[in-house]
Amino acid sequence: MELRLNAGKALLEAEKKENPDNLVPYFLDNYADFFPLFFNEDPAEYARKRGMRAVRLDKMLEGSPDSPYYLYTQAAIKFQWAMVKIKFNEKWDATWEIRKAYMTLKENQRRFPDFVPNRLLLGAMQTVFGTIPEGYKWITNILGMKGSIHQGMENVNAFIESNAPEAKLFREESYYYYCYLMLFIVNKPEDTWAFLQKKQLDTKNNYLYALMVANLSLNNQKAATGIRVLEEKHDGNEYADIEYYNYVFGLLKLTRLDSDAHVYLERFVNEFKGKFYVKECLQRLSWFYYLEGNQAMANKYRNMILNRGGTETDADKQALKEAEGGKWPNPFLLKVRLQSDGGFFNEALKLLLTKKASDFPAMEDKLEYAYRLGRIYDETGQDDKAVTMYEVTIKVGANRPEYYAARASLQLGYIYEKRKDKTKAVQCYQQCLNMKGHDYKNSLDQRAKAGIQRVNGS
């Protein structure tokens, strides 16, 4: 789990020699393959390793069916390969793989109701199934995969709080699931950070935790924290080479407008062999040079967006759309956006208040001005001012292709949810879902749907 994979593999090889009948090392081998495949997305490595899925599952069948680990290890291996298959765009295979993992766990739960590791993986899946956008619901219905946020997180929490010896074995893993689910699905950033503080995760020696906290920081306007964690983590040859590090570090540094942000982004673009995040990374590079006044380099990276990387993530889709549209963002608002995204709110607000909406001739810039001001007020606890700016954004932008109005509706929903005004919160989330054809539609819909579920307590 620390991504010191070679040291881990050496321990497994020694154990296989010493106790040839022990199947656990063969199960843990799957983790050693999973992390590089999931993070680095190297097609050549995938071609070499994909046959190991069947080999490992066969190996697990040598165990005793009377052990709770018999089905659990099979489910976990299937679940990990499903995650990998998503990265290699094998969506149907991944869906079936998740279904197999889910059904295997359900059966294990039936046979061994007190075996708590079941609840961790089951809970993670149920939480995510509970937020699948309407357009994809038919898939989970056909596959018999039902879930709700409430039920899923109940299972995950039961695992986290368990003192059973089996729970201790999967403790590190559980923190990883918990933090992502709490931030992205349950949308409780304060709880996520409180949990991280309480657990005092070792981000210096554990590379996986460092990457996780940096990524959570990037997505929760805490860039200063993310940068600190990546700067302080121990560097050494014993850690796996994970290109994703350069992507996260580069994006974090760009929000602070660091002059060396491009170094990491360029490293990622040049060395990463996968499809995820590439267009977004190229877009950020083009922005970096655009803000530097180097239009030739800005154009070079923007043109690369057209034929590099995939469009699986909303950020990659949006990068492609911007590149195809050919328009450059307003540089003033772009700086504000980057600083605001990083959580440098005072700097962003100071900059923003040097102008008024009427200073921007283009409608989309006026709209962005109102939205950015709303977000900064929102994030700095000035809720009433935030509500005013969000309402303006929705009024002006509800039928436009930019995502500002939909995001403003979502944020308004969060404010009313916090104020315990359930009716208004649900109205705002529904309003977000009703807006069509804007950027980031899938991810905003998923969050809005999760909001409705939370408020209605399902």
Side-chain angles (χ1 to χ4, degrees), residues 113-155:
D114 298 329
F115 185 67
V116 284
N118 286 330
R119 300 188 74 170
L120 174 63
L121 277 188
L122 257 184
M125 289 188 217
Q126 288 162 336
T127 307
V128 175
F129 297 158
T131 63
I132 285 171
E134 282 309 319
Y136 297 95
K137 256 300 187 244
W138 60 274
I139 300 177
T140 47
N141 289 342
I142 287 172
L143 300 174
M145 300 189 294
K146 299 272 193 293
S148 76
I149 296 175
H150 179 71
Q151 178 196 16
M153 286 312 291
E154 209 173 74
N155 271 323

Side-chain angles (χ1 to χ4, degrees), residues 60-264:
M60 295 306 107
L61 293 175
E62 293 175 19
S64 161
D66 297 330
S67 162
Y69 286 101
Y70 179 75
L71 288 177
Y72 179 82
T73 53
Q74 293 176 52
I77 288 169
K78 288 167 187 168
F79 181 68
Q80 288 174 9
W81 281 98
M83 298 299 104
V84 169
K85 284 176 178 183
I86 288 169
K87 289 296 190 96
F88 290 94
N89 204 24
E90 297 179 10
K91 291 198 196 98
W92 270 114
D93 273 8
T95 306
W96 282 109
E97 197 77 273
I98 286 173
R99 180 180 190 274
K100 286 176 200 159
Y102 180 71
M103 294 306 184
T104 307
L105 283 168
K106 291 286 273 189
E107 174 59 17
N108 208 35
Q109 182 82 326
R110 191 184 66 73
R111 289 172 54 184
F112 302 98
D114 298 329
F115 185 67
V116 284
N118 286 330
R119 300 188 74 170
L120 174 63
L121 277 188
L122 257 184
M125 289 188 217
Q126 288 162 336
T127 307
V128 175
F129 297 158
T131 63
I132 285 171
E134 282 309 319
Y136 297 95
K137 256 300 187 244
W138 60 274
I139 300 177
T140 47
N141 289 342
I142 287 172
L143 300 174
M145 300 189 294
K146 299 272 193 293
S148 76
I149 296 175
H150 179 71
Q151 178 196 16
M153 286 312 291
E154 209 173 74
N155 271 323
V156 173
N157 283 317
F159 177 89
I160 295 271
E161 285 155 21
S162 170
N163 289 316
E166 303 88 5
K168 289 181 180 144
L169 294 173
F170 295 97
R171 194 65 90 209
E172 284 91 350
E173 196 173 333
S174 71
Y175 294 163
Y176 197 78
Y177 289 124
Y178 179 85
C179 290
Y180 275 101
L181 293 169
M182 281 303 280
L183 188 65
F184 292 109
I185 308 283
V186 185
N187 189 52
K188 290 210 170 148
E190 300 82 9
D191 292 12
T192 312
W193 291 104
F195 181 82
L196 288 171
Q197 293 304 124
K198 187 176 140 200
K199 296 298 178 192
Q200 289 290 302
L201 302 187
D202 180 4
T203 52
K204 285 190 176 158
N205 298 300
N206 187 318
Y207 192 8
L208 186 65
Y209 281 163
L211 286 172
M212 174 182 84
V213 173
N215 181 260
L216 294 173
S217 303
L218 180 65
N219 284 284
N220 198 221
Q221 293 155 314
K222 290 189 188 302
T225 302
I227 290 168
R228 193 190 71 244
V229 163
L230 291 184
E231 283 176 342
E232 289 177 357
K233 80 167 183 64
H234 286 155
D235 231 359
N237 292 336
E238 77 260 40
Y239 293 100
D241 235 352
I242 304 289
E243 296 304 335
Y244 180 73
Y245 159 87
N246 290 310
Y247 157 79
V248 177
F249 204 22
L251 257 55
L252 287 166
K253 284 173 101 34
L254 185 61
T255 66
R256 200 168 65 180
L257 306 178
D258 285 6
S259 60
D260 64 344
H262 66 297
V263 174
Y264 300 92

Side-chain angles (χ1 to χ4, degrees), residues 8 22 54 58 65 99 136 149 158 310 340 363 388 403 413 422:
N22 184 3
D58 285 349
R99 180 180 190 274
Y136 297 95
I149 296 175
S340 175
M363 180 52 85
T388 306
Y403 67 92
K422 292 185 171 187

Side-chain angles (χ1 to χ4, degrees), residues 10-21:
L11 287 170
L12 294 180
E13 290 312 311
E15 174 63 17
K16 285 175 191 171
K17 284 195 181 76
E18 218 168 298
N19 298 300
D21 293 338

